[in-house]
């Protein structure tokens, strides 16, 4: 019997190259110094996983075990790590150097040597995953297994709202009621209690989900011109967050924004946006970009534990790892019924 025959093997979901997704059986990973090994229990599919699959994520390196929204239990410790075996943890995918300028000013999410789990290095769509110990955040018992993988997507909302700041007096507008848009909607309404929350999308079922998660007003921009609808209502948003990420949105947001408004951008479109500087300056608008999260996991875990948010409202589908093809097809091609899809390990 060879050494390979006696070696413990695990299943991992791998994008071998753009367009090629499959389960591979690999040797169980061993944690390096400063790492913990996690027995993964649940993981969420994100739009960026689809982009990696199709080769449209400019940061991905192949072959790659994808997945950056995952939860499990600590299974083994690397040298120098003190942690409890069996502890329930959720993983922050942002791995930073800690010494560059962005890191020195509390912005590890744009570290000069940034490595994102599931993008630059192997992620959580695997039965076992090794991660830096500092990226594994303990979960209280009040945050159940279903909710746990949603800490990462809600950290996106926490990051952009920290950048823009939010006031209870805000009239907020969110473009897009997909999974990330819904996290922003919940945070704006249930954490900050904005006075009015308007949400746009082109799919009615997503707008229904927006109402269910906290929107006061919804507008289907497939049938209604947003600028005219706001003008007719006498509304000028003081806070606008773009979670739809079409290149035409920024120019429209600048046009409809109140003077002194803040605009938050969450997208990665490579297409140019054409804006008029005069309108930005005349209104003294603040435009904030946001990528991933900069240390927001503890804040989101507290929101979950206190019951301030209802992350379970976003989960629509669950599949076992062996049904990955159906899971990915559902997430990508069924936007009218699908929000967050979880893989169960």
């Amino acid at each position: 019997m060879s050494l390979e025959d006696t070696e413990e093997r695990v299943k991992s979901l791998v994008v071998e190259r753009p367009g090629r997704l499959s389960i591979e059986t690999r040797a169980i990973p061993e944690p390096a110094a400063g790492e913990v090994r996690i027995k993964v229990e649940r993981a969420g599919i994100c739009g960026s996983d689809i982009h990696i699959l199709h080769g449209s994520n400019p940061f991905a390196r192949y072959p790659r075990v994808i997945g950056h929204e995952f939860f499990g239990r600590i299974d083994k410790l690397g040298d120098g790590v003190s942690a409890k075996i069996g502890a329930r943890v959720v993983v922050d995918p942002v791995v930073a150097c800690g010494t560059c300028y962005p890191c020195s000013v509390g912005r590890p999410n744009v570290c000069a040597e940034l490595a994102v789990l599931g993008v630059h290095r192997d992620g959580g769509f695997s039965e076992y995953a090794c991660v830096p110990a500092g990226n594994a955040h303990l979960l209280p018992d009040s945050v159940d297994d279903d909710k746990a993988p949603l800490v990462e997507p809600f950290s996106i909302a926490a990051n952009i709202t920290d950048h823009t700041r939010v006031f209870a007096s805000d009239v907020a507008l969110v473009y897009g009621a997909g999974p990330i848009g819904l996290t922003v909607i919940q945070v704006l309404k249930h954490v900050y209690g904005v006075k009015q929350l308007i949400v746009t999308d082109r799919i009615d079922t997503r707008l229904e989900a927006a109402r269910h998660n906290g929107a006061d007003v919804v507008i289907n921009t497939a049938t209604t011109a947003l600028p005219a609808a706001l003008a007719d209502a006498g509304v000028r948003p003081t806070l606008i967050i773009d979670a739809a990420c079409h290149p035409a949105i920024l120019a429209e947001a600048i046009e409809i924004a109140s003077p002194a408004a803040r605009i938050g951008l969450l997208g990665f479109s490579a297409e140019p946006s054409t804006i008029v500087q005069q309108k930005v300056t005349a209104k003294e608008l603040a435009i904030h970009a946001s990528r991933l999260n900069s240390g927001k996991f503890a804040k989101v875990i507290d929101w979950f534990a206190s019951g301030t948010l209802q992350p379970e409202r976003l989960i629509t589908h669950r599949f076992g790892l062996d049904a990955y093809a159906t899971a990915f097809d559902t997430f990508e091609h069924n936007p009218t019924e699908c929000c967050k899809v979880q893989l169960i390990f």
Side-chain angles (χ1 to χ4, degrees), residues 164-182:
T164 61
R165 297 188 301 162
V166 185
F167 306 104
S169 59
D170 273 320
V171 174
L173 169 67
V174 176
Y175 283 93
I180 293 301
L182 293 178

Side-chain angles (χ1 to χ4, degrees), residues 211-223:
R211 281 195 183 278
H212 184 58
N213 283 277
D216 299 306
V217 177
V218 298
I219 299 172
N220 188 323
T221 50
T223 57

Side-chain angles (χ1 to χ4, degrees), residues 305-320:
S306 67
T308 301
L309 300 176
Q310 294 81 44
E312 68 279 0
R313 293 183 177 182
L314 275 61
I315 304 167
T316 54
H317 296 78
R318 300 174 181 85
F319 297 92

Side-chain angles (χ1 to χ4, degrees), residues 59 61 94-105 107-116 120 291:
F59 308 107
R61 301 292 179 267
V94 175
V95 181
C97 73
T99 59
C100 68
Y101 171 71
C103 287
S104 74
V105 294
R107 307 276 287 279
N109 53 318
V110 286
C111 169
E113 304 296 330
L114 179 67
V116 180
H120 304 89
R291 183 181 183 187

Side-chain angles (χ1 to χ4, degrees), residues 28 35 49 55 62 68 85 87 93 95 132 134 146 167 185 193 197 210 214 229 309:
I28 189 168
E35 292 186 339
D49 297 315
Y62 303 91
H68 59 272
I85 298 296
V95 181
D146 260 0
F167 306 104
I185 289 163
L197 178 53
L309 300 176

